[in-house]
Short mmCIF file of all heavy atoms in Angstrom, two decimals:
data_model
loop_
_atom_site.label_atom_id
_atom_site.label_comp_id
_atom_site.label_asym_id
_atom_site.label_seq_id
_atom_site.Cartn_x
_atom_site.Cartn_y
_atom_site.Cartn_z
N ARG A 1 5.92 -16.54 3.07
CA ARG A 1 5.66 -17.85 2.43
C ARG A 1 5.51 -17.70 0.93
O ARG A 1 6.04 -18.48 0.14
CB ARG A 1 4.42 -18.50 3.07
CG ARG A 1 4.00 -19.85 2.45
CD ARG A 1 2.56 -20.12 2.78
NE ARG A 1 1.72 -19.09 2.13
CZ ARG A 1 0.49 -18.78 2.59
NH1 ARG A 1 0.02 -19.31 3.69
NH2 ARG A 1 -0.20 -17.87 1.98
N ASP A 2 4.76 -16.68 0.50
CA ASP A 2 4.50 -16.45 -0.92
C ASP A 2 5.76 -16.03 -1.64
O ASP A 2 5.96 -16.37 -2.80
CB ASP A 2 3.38 -15.46 -1.14
CG ASP A 2 2.05 -16.00 -0.61
OD1 ASP A 2 1.92 -17.17 -0.39
OD2 ASP A 2 1.12 -15.16 -0.38
N MET A 3 6.61 -15.24 -1.01
CA MET A 3 7.78 -14.67 -1.64
C MET A 3 8.97 -15.64 -1.63
O MET A 3 9.66 -15.80 -2.61
CB MET A 3 8.18 -13.35 -1.02
CG MET A 3 9.43 -12.71 -1.62
SD MET A 3 9.80 -11.05 -0.96
CE MET A 3 10.18 -11.43 0.73
N LEU A 4 9.18 -16.26 -0.49
CA LEU A 4 10.37 -17.09 -0.29
C LEU A 4 10.13 -18.60 -0.33
O LEU A 4 11.07 -19.36 -0.27
CB LEU A 4 11.07 -16.72 1.02
CG LEU A 4 11.38 -15.23 1.21
CD1 LEU A 4 12.07 -15.06 2.57
CD2 LEU A 4 12.33 -14.74 0.09
N GLY A 5 8.86 -19.02 -0.38
CA GLY A 5 8.58 -20.44 -0.31
C GLY A 5 8.97 -21.05 1.04
O GLY A 5 9.30 -22.21 1.08
N LEU A 6 8.89 -20.26 2.07
CA LEU A 6 9.31 -20.74 3.39
C LEU A 6 8.19 -20.40 4.40
O LEU A 6 7.80 -19.23 4.54
CB LEU A 6 10.59 -20.01 3.79
CG LEU A 6 11.23 -20.38 5.18
CD1 LEU A 6 11.77 -21.78 5.12
CD2 LEU A 6 12.33 -19.40 5.55
N ASP A 7 7.67 -21.41 5.08
CA ASP A 7 6.65 -21.22 6.10
C ASP A 7 7.27 -21.20 7.44
O ASP A 7 7.81 -22.24 7.92
CB ASP A 7 5.62 -22.31 5.96
CG ASP A 7 4.35 -22.04 6.80
OD1 ASP A 7 4.21 -20.88 7.26
OD2 ASP A 7 3.56 -22.96 7.05
N VAL A 8 7.24 -20.08 8.12
CA VAL A 8 7.90 -19.98 9.42
C VAL A 8 6.86 -19.51 10.43
O VAL A 8 5.93 -18.71 10.11
CB VAL A 8 9.08 -18.99 9.42
CG1 VAL A 8 10.20 -19.56 8.60
CG2 VAL A 8 8.67 -17.62 8.87
N ASP A 9 6.96 -19.95 11.67
CA ASP A 9 6.09 -19.50 12.74
C ASP A 9 6.76 -18.24 13.35
O ASP A 9 7.78 -18.31 14.05
CB ASP A 9 5.96 -20.60 13.78
CG ASP A 9 5.03 -20.19 14.95
OD1 ASP A 9 4.44 -19.11 14.85
OD2 ASP A 9 4.93 -20.97 15.92
N VAL A 10 6.17 -17.11 13.08
CA VAL A 10 6.78 -15.81 13.56
C VAL A 10 6.23 -15.41 14.94
O VAL A 10 6.64 -14.35 15.44
CB VAL A 10 6.49 -14.73 12.50
CG1 VAL A 10 7.07 -15.05 11.17
CG2 VAL A 10 4.97 -14.46 12.40
N SER A 11 5.44 -16.22 15.57
CA SER A 11 4.86 -15.87 16.85
C SER A 11 5.97 -15.78 17.92
O SER A 11 5.84 -15.05 18.89
CB SER A 11 3.82 -16.88 17.28
OG SER A 11 4.32 -18.19 17.37
N SER A 12 7.08 -16.53 17.72
CA SER A 12 8.19 -16.46 18.66
C SER A 12 9.15 -15.33 18.34
O SER A 12 10.02 -15.03 19.13
CB SER A 12 8.96 -17.79 18.67
OG SER A 12 9.49 -18.02 17.40
N MET A 13 8.97 -14.68 17.18
CA MET A 13 9.86 -13.58 16.78
C MET A 13 9.24 -12.22 16.99
O MET A 13 9.96 -11.22 17.24
CB MET A 13 10.24 -13.73 15.31
CG MET A 13 10.77 -15.06 14.94
SD MET A 13 11.10 -15.20 13.15
CE MET A 13 11.41 -16.92 12.94
N LEU A 14 7.88 -12.13 16.83
CA LEU A 14 7.21 -10.83 16.94
C LEU A 14 6.11 -10.89 18.04
O LEU A 14 5.52 -11.96 18.18
CB LEU A 14 6.59 -10.47 15.61
CG LEU A 14 7.55 -10.37 14.41
CD1 LEU A 14 6.74 -10.20 13.08
CD2 LEU A 14 8.51 -9.22 14.58
N PRO A 15 5.88 -9.79 18.73
CA PRO A 15 4.81 -9.81 19.76
C PRO A 15 3.43 -9.89 19.12
O PRO A 15 3.28 -9.59 17.93
CB PRO A 15 5.01 -8.46 20.47
CG PRO A 15 5.72 -7.59 19.46
CD PRO A 15 6.57 -8.51 18.61
N ALA A 16 2.49 -10.22 19.92
CA ALA A 16 1.08 -10.31 19.41
C ALA A 16 0.59 -8.95 19.00
O ALA A 16 0.98 -7.91 19.55
CB ALA A 16 0.21 -10.91 20.50
N ASP A 17 -0.25 -8.95 17.98
CA ASP A 17 -0.81 -7.67 17.48
C ASP A 17 -1.98 -7.20 18.34
O ASP A 17 -2.76 -8.02 18.83
CB ASP A 17 -1.30 -7.86 16.01
CG ASP A 17 -0.19 -8.27 15.08
OD1 ASP A 17 0.78 -7.48 14.99
OD2 ASP A 17 -0.31 -9.30 14.43
N ASP A 18 -2.09 -5.87 18.48
CA ASP A 18 -3.24 -5.32 19.17
C ASP A 18 -4.47 -5.54 18.36
O ASP A 18 -4.43 -5.64 17.14
CB ASP A 18 -3.02 -3.80 19.46
CG ASP A 18 -1.91 -3.58 20.45
OD1 ASP A 18 -1.71 -4.41 21.34
OD2 ASP A 18 -1.19 -2.52 20.36
N MET A 19 -5.62 -5.54 19.06
CA MET A 19 -6.88 -5.78 18.37
C MET A 19 -7.79 -4.58 18.54
O MET A 19 -7.72 -3.83 19.51
CB MET A 19 -7.57 -7.03 18.91
CG MET A 19 -6.72 -8.29 18.77
SD MET A 19 -7.65 -9.79 19.27
CE MET A 19 -8.81 -9.92 17.93
N SER A 20 -8.69 -4.39 17.54
CA SER A 20 -9.70 -3.35 17.54
C SER A 20 -11.00 -3.91 17.05
O SER A 20 -11.05 -4.47 15.96
CB SER A 20 -9.25 -2.15 16.73
OG SER A 20 -10.29 -1.18 16.67
N HIS A 21 -12.05 -3.87 17.86
CA HIS A 21 -13.37 -4.42 17.50
C HIS A 21 -13.25 -5.91 17.14
O HIS A 21 -13.97 -6.38 16.22
CB HIS A 21 -13.97 -3.64 16.35
CG HIS A 21 -14.22 -2.20 16.71
ND1 HIS A 21 -13.28 -1.21 16.59
CD2 HIS A 21 -15.35 -1.53 17.16
CE1 HIS A 21 -13.79 -0.03 16.93
NE2 HIS A 21 -15.05 -0.23 17.31
N GLY A 22 -12.37 -6.64 17.73
CA GLY A 22 -12.24 -8.05 17.51
C GLY A 22 -11.34 -8.41 16.34
O GLY A 22 -11.18 -9.61 16.02
N PHE A 23 -10.70 -7.45 15.66
CA PHE A 23 -9.85 -7.71 14.52
C PHE A 23 -8.42 -7.27 14.82
O PHE A 23 -8.22 -6.25 15.46
CB PHE A 23 -10.38 -6.98 13.28
CG PHE A 23 -11.72 -7.43 12.85
CD1 PHE A 23 -12.86 -6.79 13.21
CD2 PHE A 23 -11.83 -8.51 11.95
CE1 PHE A 23 -14.16 -7.20 12.84
CE2 PHE A 23 -13.09 -8.93 11.55
CZ PHE A 23 -14.23 -8.30 11.98
N ASP A 24 -7.45 -8.04 14.30
CA ASP A 24 -6.07 -7.73 14.53
C ASP A 24 -5.41 -7.14 13.26
O ASP A 24 -4.17 -7.16 13.16
CB ASP A 24 -5.28 -8.91 15.07
CG ASP A 24 -5.25 -10.09 14.08
OD1 ASP A 24 -5.87 -9.95 12.98
OD2 ASP A 24 -4.52 -11.07 14.34
N ASN A 25 -6.18 -6.71 12.31
CA ASN A 25 -5.59 -6.13 11.07
C ASN A 25 -6.14 -4.72 10.84
O ASN A 25 -6.25 -4.28 9.72
CB ASN A 25 -5.91 -7.03 9.87
CG ASN A 25 -7.40 -7.18 9.57
OD1 ASN A 25 -8.22 -6.83 10.43
ND2 ASN A 25 -7.72 -7.64 8.40
N MET A 26 -6.41 -4.02 11.92
CA MET A 26 -6.92 -2.64 11.82
C MET A 26 -5.73 -1.68 11.87
O MET A 26 -4.94 -1.69 12.85
CB MET A 26 -7.89 -2.35 13.01
CG MET A 26 -9.05 -3.34 13.07
SD MET A 26 -10.14 -3.27 11.65
CE MET A 26 -11.10 -1.84 12.09
N ALA A 27 -5.58 -0.85 10.88
CA ALA A 27 -4.46 0.04 10.73
C ALA A 27 -4.28 0.92 11.95
O ALA A 27 -3.12 1.26 12.33
CB ALA A 27 -4.56 0.82 9.44
N ASP A 28 -5.37 1.41 12.53
CA ASP A 28 -5.27 2.42 13.58
C ASP A 28 -4.61 1.87 14.89
O ASP A 28 -4.13 2.67 15.67
CB ASP A 28 -6.63 3.03 13.92
CG ASP A 28 -7.66 1.97 14.30
OD1 ASP A 28 -7.40 0.81 13.99
OD2 ASP A 28 -8.68 2.37 14.93
N VAL A 29 -4.58 0.58 15.05
CA VAL A 29 -3.90 0.01 16.22
C VAL A 29 -2.65 -0.75 15.93
O VAL A 29 -1.96 -1.21 16.82
CB VAL A 29 -4.87 -0.93 17.04
CG1 VAL A 29 -6.06 -0.16 17.53
CG2 VAL A 29 -5.32 -2.09 16.19
N LEU A 30 -2.35 -0.92 14.61
CA LEU A 30 -1.07 -1.59 14.25
C LEU A 30 0.06 -0.57 14.25
O LEU A 30 0.62 -0.22 13.22
CB LEU A 30 -1.25 -2.24 12.87
CG LEU A 30 -2.17 -3.46 12.83
CD1 LEU A 30 -2.35 -3.97 11.40
CD2 LEU A 30 -1.59 -4.62 13.67
N THR A 31 0.36 -0.12 15.44
CA THR A 31 1.38 0.90 15.58
C THR A 31 2.78 0.26 15.53
O THR A 31 2.94 -0.94 15.56
CB THR A 31 1.21 1.67 16.89
OG1 THR A 31 1.18 0.69 17.98
CG2 THR A 31 -0.15 2.41 16.91
N ILE A 32 3.79 1.13 15.48
CA ILE A 32 5.17 0.68 15.45
C ILE A 32 5.94 1.36 16.55
O ILE A 32 5.69 2.54 16.85
CB ILE A 32 5.82 0.94 14.06
CG1 ILE A 32 7.15 0.23 13.92
CG2 ILE A 32 5.97 2.43 13.83
CD1 ILE A 32 7.05 -1.27 13.72
N SER A 33 6.85 0.63 17.16
CA SER A 33 7.72 1.19 18.20
C SER A 33 9.14 0.78 17.90
O SER A 33 9.40 -0.11 17.12
CB SER A 33 7.30 0.66 19.59
OG SER A 33 7.52 -0.74 19.64
N PRO A 34 10.14 1.47 18.50
CA PRO A 34 11.56 1.08 18.28
C PRO A 34 11.76 -0.38 18.64
O PRO A 34 12.50 -1.09 17.92
CB PRO A 34 12.34 2.00 19.19
CG PRO A 34 11.46 3.25 19.31
CD PRO A 34 10.04 2.71 19.28
N ALA A 35 11.15 -0.85 19.70
CA ALA A 35 11.37 -2.28 20.10
C ALA A 35 10.75 -3.24 19.10
O ALA A 35 11.33 -4.27 18.73
CB ALA A 35 10.73 -2.55 21.47
N LEU A 36 9.56 -2.85 18.54
CA LEU A 36 8.95 -3.73 17.54
C LEU A 36 9.74 -3.70 16.23
O LEU A 36 9.91 -4.75 15.57
CB LEU A 36 7.50 -3.25 17.25
CG LEU A 36 6.72 -4.08 16.27
CD1 LEU A 36 6.62 -5.54 16.64
CD2 LEU A 36 5.34 -3.52 16.09
N MET A 37 10.26 -2.55 15.85
CA MET A 37 11.13 -2.48 14.63
C MET A 37 12.38 -3.33 14.80
O MET A 37 12.81 -4.04 13.86
CB MET A 37 11.47 -1.05 14.35
CG MET A 37 11.89 -0.82 12.92
SD MET A 37 10.57 -1.10 11.75
CE MET A 37 11.43 -1.93 10.44
#
């Protein structure tokens, strides 16, 4: 949104993020897989 001026709902494009201690922005669980890439 900030770069392209376009607000898109990415929930249909990317799977839900894993959570750690109630947060979904913890680096240790934001892993990457070939399917996610």
Side-chain angles (χ1 to χ4, degrees):
R1 181 200 61 208
D2 295 342
M3 180 174 64
L4 304 180
L6 182 69
D7 189 14
V8 292
D9 182 6
V10 299
S11 59
S12 61
M13 306 178 192
L14 301 172
D17 298 302
D18 292 329
M19 300 186 72
S20 175
H21 298 86
F23 296 93
D24 64 356
N25 62 345
M26 306 294 282
D28 56 342
V29 297
L30 289 174
T31 55
I32 192 72
S33 65
L36 182 57
M37 200 64 221

